[in-house]
Amino acid sequence: MPEPAGTGGRLATAQQAYARTRRGSNRRRKAAHRIGVLHAKVARQRRDHAHKTARALVTNADLLVMEDLRTVNMIRRPASRPDGNGGHLPNGAAAKAGLNRSILDAGWGVFTSVLESKAEEAGRVLLLVNPANTSRTCAQCGHCDAVNRASQAVVACVACSHTTNADVNAAINILRAGTVRRSA
């Protein structure tokens, strides 16, 4: 069977090989070491990307503003939902596990800490703003409503009929909040 390309494919193959080994064997120890080496490579790649991206941002901007995302709160497991008969109703834990994995894989915490250190080193200003309602507030008129964000990709204001990309709208609101905070 041909090995899939990329570190992810090699990692999956190494984990499958580890699963087929017997506990306490030398083969299992070597397979575990191989998995550790691949995980270390992924961590180095993530850290390298964070450093290069942070350096590019710091050299191109005097003021950096980003949301103060609490990843620890974002990856909490969902509360159980008892059904009253001693069992539990579905609570979306499987979907939440996938979301948690992608949040952790993105490495927001690592990137934030690297960006903070690079900004301080270069004498730039990095401001962290409260992320509440940044994607629901209209960047044009300032109207904040959950109905504004009807879809994941588009913000359509119900007050002024302004329509734009949700990420662009949130970025404008975050920058505006950061400049207000800086001038205060």
Side-chain angles (χ1 to χ4, degrees):
M1 179 174 133
E3 188 175 284
T7 306
R10 285 194 299 268
L11 183 59
T13 304
Q15 287 171 332
Q16 289 168 359
Y18 176 79
R20 288 190 294 266
T21 58
R22 186 170 294 164
R23 288 185 182 159
S25 68
N26 283 336
R27 244 184 92 220
R28 188 178 186 97
R29 218 175 342 272
K30 287 179 184 177
H33 177 72
R34 201 172 306 122
I35 290 170
V37 166
L38 290 170
H39 274 297
K41 180 177 182 177
V42 170
R44 283 193 312 271
Q45 288 172 334
R46 184 177 292 125
R47 213 170 26 252
D48 181 59
H49 182 264
H51 277 279
K52 287 178 179 175
T53 306
R55 174 56 61 203
L57 288 171
V58 165
T59 55
N60 292 326
D62 292 332
L63 173 65
L64 300 162
V65 183
M66 62 187 291
E67 290 178 309
D68 189 13
L69 297 173
R70 304 285 182 204
T71 53
V72 173
N73 296 342
M74 293 169 74
I75 61 170
R76 284 206 175 115
R77 55 187 252 194
S80 61
R81 295 176 46 204
D83 63 0
N85 298 327
H88 293 285
L89 296 170
N91 63 351
K96 182 74 171 108
L99 177 65
N100 291 350
R101 194 175 307 114
S102 60
I103 287 171
L104 291 170
D105 189 43
W108 292 337
V110 171
F111 178 71
T112 303
S113 62
V114 168
L115 185 60
E116 284 175 346
S117 67
K118 297 268 186 207
E120 183 180 335
E121 176 185 301
R124 304 291 194 258
V125 178
L126 173 66
L127 297 173
L128 300 174
V129 298
N130 185 1
N133 297 323
T134 54
S135 61
R136 293 179 177 181
T137 304
C138 176
Q140 194 79 17
C141 69
H143 177 71
C144 180
D145 195 348
V147 182
N148 286 352
R149 187 81 187 267
S151 75
Q152 189 68 22
V154 177
V155 170
C157 182
V158 293
C160 70
S161 302
H162 175 70
T163 303
T164 186
N165 181 292
D167 294 333
V168 172
N169 184 67
I172 292 168
N173 289 330
I174 292 165
L175 181 61
R176 188 174 292 144
T179 53
V180 166
R181 188 166 163 222
R182 184 181 188 191
S183 64

